[in-house]
Amino acid sequence: MTDDSRKLKAAYQRLEEAIDNVARLEGFEGVRTEWILVCASQRYDDEGDGITQVGTLLPDGGGQVPYHRTMGLLDYALTRMRAEVARDD
């Protein structure tokens, strides 16, 4: 295992601990079964054009989570958010 892969594994472990801590403080009960972190970043290329990068972080880098589970979780969260927006209008 390379130094970078050890650092990445440790970072994912800290991320998972942080997610567990925040979920507990937000009132989640029971055993966490899944998580997905969606993030975006903005940068500018040499010509000054904005470039947006959107990605997801999954447990252990995502290689172990089947697409049907991640897509289902994201779809469920999006459906709930749409319902909240519809109630606010």
Side-chain angles (χ1 to χ4, degrees):
M1 182 179 273
T2 68
D3 190 45
D4 283 345
S5 61
R6 277 192 290 278
K7 288 178 183 178
L8 185 60
K9 183 175 181 169
Y12 268 99
Q13 288 173 337
R14 290 190 307 274
L15 176 60
E16 193 153 330
E17 290 170 5
I19 289 170
D20 285 341
N21 287 335
V22 170
R24 182 179 43 78
L25 292 169
E26 287 286 350
F28 283 61
E29 296 179 3
V31 176
R32 179 200 28 81
T33 57
E34 298 174 290
W35 62 267
I36 298 173
L37 178 73
V38 179
C39 52
S41 63
Q42 180 75 36
R43 66 181 175 85
Y44 297 92
D45 65 15
D46 294 338
E47 288 81 41
D49 296 323
I51 298 173
T52 301
Q53 180 181 5
V54 177
T56 56
L57 300 176
L58 300 163
D60 295 325
Q64 308 300 327
V65 183
Y67 283 120
H68 70 277
R69 291 185 63 191
T70 57
M71 292 171 71
L73 186 57
L74 288 168
D75 188 45
Y76 179 77
L78 183 57
T79 299
R80 288 189 61 177
M81 290 178 82
R82 285 186 174 136
E84 287 180 33
V85 170
R87 278 193 305 273
D88 289 344
D89 287 346

